[in-house]
Amino acid sequence: MLTVTHALKKDRLSKDVEDASFLLSNRVGGYVYLGTTLKSKHQGFFFNDNFMMYKAIEDIRLDGKITKITNRFSSVIRERDNKSTEEFILPFGYSSFIYELKRYNGNIHIDLDCRSFNDNDDWGRFYNIVLDKNQAVISYEKQGNYWVYVVITGKNLNAEKIREWRKVSYQIDQQKGEEHERSVYNALRLKISSDTRLVISASTDKDKAIKEGDYVFRNINKLKRKQDNAMLFKGTIKNKDQRMAYNAALNSLNSMLAEVNGKLGILSGFPSHSQFWSRDEMVAIKALGKRKEASDIFARTLRCLQDDGRLPNRIPSTVEGNADSIGWFYIRYGKKDVLENVINSLSSSHLKDGLLIAGKKETWMSMIDREGARIELQAMLLKMYSMLGNKKAELELKDKIKEKFWNRKYLNDGANDDTVRPNAILAYYIYPEMLTKDEWLKCFTNIMPRLWCSWGGISTLDKKSEKFHPTTSGMKSYYNGDSHFFLNNITAIVLKDIDRKMFKDKIAKIVDASTEDILWNGILGHHSEASSAKELNAQYGLAKSMAAATYIEMINNL
């Protein structure tokens, strides 16, 4: 059994769990993600270079079983049954982490797995290790394609080259059906006989890694104080669990507010979506409130408007289109800047019979084909017409929605698709004037039993559908059963507005489930992307910015 404690300011919350993982991010796109055991190739120390993720460290191994983990948010402390403690600190703005080891006498092993994020090829990998008194410089070459440099900085390092390959297997990746076996490189053994401080830096630039490692090592105490002072805290929430989860979400989102190669934005999440995805970014940005960073991101987004009235799917760009991020932008931005031009461009390129349409896999349910007119897109168009003051177009579209989507029991998912999905919930959140209060109540009375997960979530598909998957099975269940936490949090907000008394129990269950996920499931202090419909668990991206942001919004609202 493992004792996990969250500690922030004067608040402390503890629980015994079977297993736990932690993730620290540096606000320049990198992270340290480790657990009691390594279960995924995405764990380790990663750095971000021009939106390309590179792995540097696989693990730091030492004797003793981990018995306690304390998440201080600015750092994480692991305690072992031999009384030794490790503290990990990843200072904002640096691709270096500080590693402090106390009350330990013995060897530690540094395992490397240098590679770009999606490089699963184990051939053509070459390491070179150069040791001196206070630094170890490790150069990695992948067949002349790219280089990674790892620098370990300390004081009087007692280091020995091991240079042995060993096979590892990752349980989580195997369960997902992903590549799950690799060869990692046991590079060094360090003899430890007293309390030790190390700084581990990584870069594609050797000189940068060496200089940064030296600077961070010389300024460890200063950087630790700065990191402590950067943690966010709001103490007005009465419920202790919700207060801790809320502050965890604040700091999780803040850690994903990053500047990568001169561009400021909100990363979609870790470990596998470390880019600026426009939809995720616009859903999440509300939780930044009036921070200057929000204004800067809105300004940068305006500059990215395309000729067809849409926004790029992400930065860096992809070939995939995005039908709804432009709607989320104006919902969050709240201003009419160039809105008339945007609507004119959308009308020319993406309106059919007066309805806003998507191409294949262009909605937020991007792994399934929802081509055509979808209900949440019409809500976004109504919102934009309303903001522009175009009452004629607004009323015409409302009438068309009543004709094409409203079946007098609930809102269809598409103009020609009566499937029950939770996108009617998004439609209410975006534009509640679409239906009357009584019509909305009828809609939710009919769809909630078909979407409700007993643990406190919303399925992405009608549970009566033959395509419904109650347990997570990769892309088969991703939008055909799996419950996405950002949508759950939005659902609680919507249910409160429709009829707080009627939906009181469901709102409470959603809050409890999301709180549980942040505190004890997935990665400590971060909100997961999704859960299976059958039972509460953490799936896919285990640190998701728009999940954290909508949790903040939900607690503020409730």
Side-chain angles (χ1 to χ4, degrees):
M1 193 60 70
L2 173 72
T3 300
V4 169
T5 300
H6 295 285
L8 185 62
K9 303 297 183 182
K10 295 181 180 180
D11 278 1
R12 293 180 69 86
L13 206 60
S14 297
K15 184 178 179 179
D16 289 340
V17 299
E18 292 294 329
D19 191 20
S21 298
F22 72 87
L23 185 146
L24 299 167
S25 175
N26 58 7
R27 293 192 63 178
V28 287
Y31 64 84
V32 173
Y33 170 26
L34 294 169
T36 49
T37 57
L38 284 182
K39 295 183 178 181
S40 172
K41 58 183 175 288
H42 301 316
Q43 290 179 295
F45 172 42
F46 289 74
F47 67 95
N48 193 319
D49 183 3
N50 195 24
F51 295 99
M52 174 64 76
M53 292 296 289
Y54 292 91
K55 187 174 184 180
I57 299 292
E58 166 80 358
D59 198 9
I60 299 174
R61 293 183 290 119
L62 59 157
D63 296 333
K65 180 183 178 182
I66 299 168
T67 57
K68 295 180 181 178
I69 295 180
T70 301
N71 174 27
R72 297 183 63 251
F73 296 91
S74 59
S75 69
V76 171
I77 299 171
R78 300 196 300 195
E79 185 175 330
R80 296 175 182 263
D81 58 5
N82 56 18
K83 303 303 180 183
S84 65
T85 63
E86 307 163 278
E87 184 169 15
F88 297 81
I89 306 102
L90 184 59
F92 288 162
Y94 298 92
S95 293
S96 302
F97 73 91
I98 301 163
Y99 177 75
E100 297 192 347
L101 182 59
K102 296 179 180 179
R103 297 190 297 276
Y104 182 78
N105 193 321
N107 295 323
I108 66 173
H109 288 261
I110 309 293
D111 290 341
L112 306 181
D113 186 28
C114 297
R115 62 176 79 221
S116 62
F117 192 84
N118 292 317
D119 182 0
N120 294 316
D121 181 13
D122 268 349
W123 295 98
R125 307 174 70 203
F126 305 99
Y127 287 94
N128 183 57
I129 304 171
V130 177
L131 299 178
D132 68 20
K133 181 179 179 181
N134 297 319
Q135 248 180 4
V137 179
I138 303 159
S139 304
Y140 169 80
E141 178 186 356
K142 177 59 187 287
Q143 291 181 324
N145 293 326
Y146 61 87
W147 285 259
V148 172
Y149 301 94
V150 180
V151 177
I152 302 169
T153 306
K155 186 175 181 180
N156 297 321
L157 295 178
N158 187 354
E160 177 188 358
K161 300 177 186 178
I162 302 299
R163 297 184 293 194
E164 291 180 353
W165 294 92
R166 64 187 189 92
K167 275 281 188 184
V168 295
S169 181
Y170 304 108
Q171 177 187 342
I172 291 177
D173 301 331
Q174 184 176 13
Q175 290 170 351
K176 290 180 178 179
E178 297 178 358
E179 180 272 328
H180 64 279
E181 290 186 340
R182 279 183 174 178
S183 296
V184 301
Y185 192 67
N186 182 4
L188 296 174
R189 178 167 56 226
L190 275 66
K191 175 67 177 176
I192 306 297
S193 57
S194 60
D195 290 356
T196 298
R197 284 177 158 183
L198 301 173
V199 170
I200 300 179
S201 309
S203 177
T204 56
D205 183 321
K206 181 179 178 179
D207 289 341
K208 180 182 177 182
I210 292 171
K211 290 176 182 177
E212 184 173 291
D214 181 61
Y215 175 84
V216 172
F217 188 79
R218 287 186 288 105
N219 291 277
I220 285 178
N221 291 334
K222 175 184 174 182
L223 291 170
K224 286 180 69 175
R225 288 192 300 270
K226 186 176 180 182
Q227 196 75 0
D228 285 340
N229 292 334
M231 296 302 104
L232 305 176
F233 181 79
K234 181 178 180 179
T236 56
I237 299 164
K238 293 181 180 179
N239 181 287
K240 190 175 182 180
D241 286 10
Q242 291 174 22
R243 183 169 67 246
M244 185 63 79
Y246 180 93
N247 286 304
L250 282 177
N251 286 290
S252 175
L253 180 63
N254 191 53
S255 74
M256 287 183 264
L257 179 62
E259 185 170 333
V260 181
N261 285 71
K263 294 183 176 68
L264 176 69
I266 302 171
L267 298 169
S268 175
F270 294 118
S272 56
H273 285 87
S274 50
Q275 304 91 14
F276 301 148
W277 293 76
S278 57
R279 177 189 301 113
D280 299 37
E281 193 171 40
M282 290 301 107
V283 172
I285 199 168
K286 182 176 182 178
L288 295 184
K290 296 181 179 180
R291 289 176 60 168
K292 182 182 182 299
E293 292 96 332
S295 298
D296 292 343
I297 292 168
F298 282 134
R300 186 256 297 157
T301 304
L302 271 173
R303 294 193 296 271
C304 292
L305 282 170
Q306 300 175 163
D307 291 341
D308 64 352
R310 288 181 171 183
L311 290 170
N313 195 34
R314 73 168 202 193
I315 296 175
S317 62
T318 62
V319 295
E320 292 86 2
N322 188 309
D324 57 0
S325 58
I326 187 63
W328 281 114
F329 170 75
Y330 278 106
I331 291 162
R332 297 311 198 206
Y333 187 48
K335 300 177 184 179
K336 297 188 290 185
D337 296 10
V338 302
L339 177 54
E340 186 171 4
N341 292 339
V342 165
I343 289 176
N344 288 338
S345 297
L346 289 172
S347 298
S348 300
S349 304
H350 301 291
L351 257 65
K352 184 177 181 181
D353 298 327
L355 299 173
L356 187 59
I357 60 170
K360 292 182 178 180
K361 301 182 178 181
E362 288 186 344
T363 72
W364 78 273
M365 292 183 163
S366 56
M367 297 298 174
I368 60 174
D369 183 7
R370 295 178 70 234
E371 188 175 9
R374 294 292 162 175
I375 188 60
E376 75 274 19
L377 300 183
Q378 312 322 309
M380 291 173 175
L381 187 56
L382 282 170
K383 182 68 174 179
M384 289 189 281
Y385 283 149
S386 176
M387 289 176 65
L388 195 60
N390 189 339
K391 289 295 181 184
K392 181 176 182 293
E394 187 179 359
L395 290 172
E396 287 177 354
L397 181 54
K398 284 177 72 174
D399 289 342
K400 189 156 288 189
I401 289 168
K402 283 288 186 74
E403 175 191 348
K404 299 286 187 179
F405 291 85
W406 177 241
N407 62 24
R408 302 191 182 281
K409 292 181 180 179
Y410 58 86
L411 283 167
N412 293 339
D413 192 57
N416 299 302
D417 181 4
D418 64 358
T419 304
V420 174
R421 291 190 183 273
N423 296 301
I425 299 170
L426 288 178
Y428 181 96
Y429 176 79
I430 294 162
Y431 186 82
E433 300 86 357
M434 181 183 287
L435 300 177
T436 67
K437 192 79 173 178
D438 287 343
E439 287 169 336
W440 276 121
L441 192 57
K442 180 182 284 188
C443 176
F444 276 77
T445 301
N446 284 311
I447 68 172
M448 285 302 291
R450 297 165 72 169
L451 297 171
W452 180 248
C453 304
S454 60
W455 52 263
I458 303 297
S459 169
T460 39
L461 179 64
D462 186 350
K463 293 182 293 182
K464 295 179 180 180
S465 171
E466 61 182 19
K467 295 181 180 180
F468 172 72
H469 290 262
T471 57
T472 297
S473 51
M475 292 304 103
K476 291 180 180 179
S477 63
Y478 192 50
Y479 295 123
N480 288 316
D482 289 340
S483 178
H484 290 245
F485 284 107
F486 95 93
L487 183 62
N488 297 346
N489 298 334
I490 285 175
T491 299
I493 296 168
V494 167
L495 292 179
K496 176 222 172 186
D497 197 50
I498 288 176
D499 194 320
R500 185 169 194 161
K501 186 176 180 181
M502 176 184 288
F503 295 112
K504 178 182 177 182
D505 292 343
K506 285 184 168 55
I507 294 168
K509 279 204 166 188
I510 291 171
V511 173
D512 288 347
S514 289
T515 301
E516 174 84 5
D517 178 72
I518 293 170
L519 294 178
W520 313 117
N521 292 352
I523 296 174
L524 297 172
H526 295 277
H527 210 345
S528 307
E529 182 175 1
S531 167
S532 71
K534 184 178 181 180
E535 59 184 0
L536 175 62
N537 46 43
Q539 300 291 341
Y540 308 109
L542 300 182
K544 196 71 172 173
S545 59
M546 65 179 183
T550 51
Y551 183 87
I552 294 165
E553 183 183 354
M554 174 179 68
I555 297 299
N556 286 341
N557 189 284
L558 299 177

